[in-house]
Amino acid sequence: MASKLRRATAMLHRPRLRTGFGETSDALFVTASFSYESGEAAEPCFGEPGGRYCYTRVGNPTIHALEERWAELQGTEAAIATASGMAAIQGVLLGLMKAGSRLVASRPLFGSCMWLCTDLLPRYGVQVDFVDAWDMDGFAQALGRPADLVLVETPANPTLDLIDIGAVANLAHAAGAKLVVDDALASPICQRSAEHGADIVVTSATKHADGQGRVLGGLIACDRLTRDDVLHPFIKHTGPILSPFNAWVLLKSLETLELRVERMAASAAQVADWLHERLGSSRVRYPGLASDRHHDIAARQMMSGGTLVSFRTGGGKAGAFDFLRRLQVIEITNNLGDSRTIATHPATTTHARLPVEERGRIGIHEDLIRLSVGLEHPADLIEDLERGLG
Ligand SMILES: Cc1ncc(COP(=O)(O)O)c(C=O)c1O
């Protein structure tokens, strides 16, 4: 097999997980543990890292194949799979910090990430300071003193604000911190954060990686040392590992990830153009639009504008709910990155925990809709949006 393959090819051929039966599809190992021929054969498995498989919480061939394919896609040395996107984020935050550590986090953050930062980490003596996603001076100020970790979500959920990964990576490294990027809204098909300076990339595999609304999963891409010395011990001893079946579903999904996400992003660009014309630039956010305030960052660090568009219907919460009620094709749910187009009302769902004034300040208005564009024909989506807007 050729040593260097382009990513689309690698997603089909790397790694090749085959048993002696020569099956063409990747093998699925649904087993809790592995057995040994003798006591002597078992003994070394419990001391030597990288030895044979002994127990699925510690390692499993199907999960391992997914991790290798993901590292190849993200362009990192290693990857580690977890039970959900949140398991990946809590693994990184708790695994890399301790009492007395300092975290600098961007805002807005996905609701559960916000809870980790405001409710969980302070309980364990971690100091958390927030910086608004669009405030580079704020990042420079916050990282003018030592920190241990910087967590940014870019594109941000649900406002689609972008953060300059390279600039924040420089500031984080100068402060002695590692930069963690949550790229759930982009996927590595639209943004390869590690190439821009992220040390660790966390992804909710529930989104584009599965892309068909079936399984939960999380993926962490990082260097080998961080995986072996910090994250693998943390995940294996605390237990939030991915099930082999879900790993197999994700492994198969990666074969079509590029195809799906590129098509979804092309449709999202068409939908964003239409919404921009219909509603005006002040009511639509899409990083691919030339009028968007973060378009220059998108041009530097994203391969497309992505698959999500956010817009304001007008008329407050009632206006947003009227819009949702009129839809006939687009589904109302709070997932994203699915092959079906999804409309979400963040103020009453994913970001409902935030106080109203805070939501308004960061752009999560009562009439904001987050649209995750899927694989339907864009003309049908535009007709449905027209119907929804009335
Ligand atoms: C930006 C972001 N990060 C993390 C998560 C959590 O992922 P999961 O639901 O797989 O735990 C989500 C889920 O919507 C998200 O949008």
Side-chain angles (χ1 to χ4, degrees):
M1 165 93 50
S3 60
K4 187 82 195 130
L5 294 175
R6 283 159 193 82
R7 282 191 171 93
T9 316
M11 289 308 100
L12 293 154
H13 294 282
R14 285 270 165 77
R16 265 215 182 125
L17 182 58
R18 280 200 175 146
T19 68
F21 294 110
E23 64 281 357
T24 48
S25 178
D26 298 294
L28 167 56
F29 292 89
V30 181
T31 179
S33 71
F34 299 79
S35 53
Y36 317 94
E37 320 64 69
S38 63
E40 286 82 359
E43 191 178 9
C45 300
F46 284 78
E48 293 168 16
R52 58 189 265 190
Y53 294 107
C54 59
Y55 192 64
T56 280
R57 178 160 47 71
V58 180
N60 173 290
T62 308
I63 301 173
H64 195 197
L66 171 67
E67 292 170 338
E68 275 189 44
R69 194 168 286 178
W70 191 253
E72 175 100 29
L73 187 59
Q74 287 281 23
T76 55
E77 286 177 355
I80 195 158
T82 56
S84 67
M86 287 319 302
I89 293 168
Q90 70 100 14
V92 168
L93 296 180
L94 294 181
L96 277 115
M97 291 193 295
K98 55 181 190 292
S101 293
R102 179 168 175 257
L103 169 74
V104 173
S106 64
R107 186 170 40 190
L109 275 185
F110 173 61
S112 298
C113 298
M114 200 66 186
W115 181 85
L116 287 183
C117 292
T118 56
D119 290 48
L120 186 79
L121 291 176
R123 274 190 231 164
Y124 295 94
V126 173
Q127 184 195 331
V128 185
D129 294 320
F130 289 101
V131 179
D132 289 333
W134 53 89
D135 183 7
M136 271 316 289
D137 292 341
F139 277 107
Q141 210 176 353
L143 293 167
R145 21 199 202 104
D148 298 278
L149 224 55
V150 178
L151 170 67
V152 300
E153 192 178 285
T154 182
N157 185 3
T159 59
L160 306 184
D161 280 298
L162 300 187
I163 295 171
D164 186 330
I165 298 172
V168 175
N170 289 338
L171 292 168
H173 296 157
K178 283 188 192 247
L179 174 63
V180 183
V181 172
D182 178 344
D183 76 346
L185 270 67
S187 89
I189 302 304
C190 296
Q191 171 180 300
R192 268 192 285 280
S193 309
E195 284 176 8
H196 297 279
D199 301 291
I200 299 173
V201 187
V202 282
T203 310
S204 166
T206 317
K207 314 296 182 237
H208 302 86
D210 172 39
Q212 284 140 93
R214 299 165 299 184
V215 300
L216 293 182
L219 286 153
I220 308 168
C222 59
D223 60 282
R224 205 168 283 123
L225 207 65
T226 304
R227 180 196 60 188
D228 294 347
D229 289 1
V230 184
L231 295 176
H232 187 245
F234 185 88
I235 302 289
K236 95 174 170 191
H237 292 305
T238 56
I241 60 128
L242 188 64
S243 84
F245 178 73
N246 288 0
W248 181 81
V249 171
L250 291 169
L251 201 51
K252 298 300 293 168
S253 294
L254 293 193
E255 295 180 1
T256 55
L257 180 68
E258 185 173 278
L259 203 64
R260 286 184 282 111
V261 172
E262 284 184 352
R263 163 78 189 266
M264 285 154 67
S267 297
Q270 277 191 49
V271 165
D273 279 342
W274 182 85
L275 283 168
H276 180 255
E277 202 152 296
R278 176 78 160 70
L279 302 174
S281 57
S282 64
R283 281 167 61 184
V284 183
R285 293 299 309 271
Y286 182 65
L289 283 174
S291 59
D292 191 87
R293 67 171 163 168
H294 289 153
H295 181 66
D296 59 324
I297 305 177
R300 278 200 300 281
Q301 73 187 22
M302 293 179 75
M303 286 89 94
S304 70
T307 63
L308 287 113
V309 186
S310 289
F311 61 94
R312 298 183 65 175
T313 57
K317 179 177 156 186
F321 279 21
D322 283 345
F323 165 81
L324 293 175
R325 197 175 307 113
R326 293 187 198 110
L327 296 175
Q328 290 177 12
V329 176
I330 298 168
E331 300 212 11
I332 306 166
T333 171
N334 42 281
N335 199 10
L336 59 90
D338 197 288
S339 50
R340 290 182 178 79
T341 297
I342 289 169
T344 308
H345 184 242
T348 52
T349 59
T350 52
H351 294 73
R353 269 189 76 250
L354 286 180
V356 184
E357 321 75 62
E358 176 64 2
R359 282 205 303 263
R361 198 186 67 75
I362 56 181
I364 307 174
H365 301 289
E366 297 292 304
D367 62 352
L368 185 79
I369 296 288
R370 185 190 73 194
L371 196 71
S372 169
V373 177
L375 292 172
E376 299 91 343
H377 195 291
D380 288 325
L381 296 177
I382 288 169
E383 276 174 27
D384 209 33
L385 289 169
E386 181 70 78
R387 195 165 23 240
L389 290 169

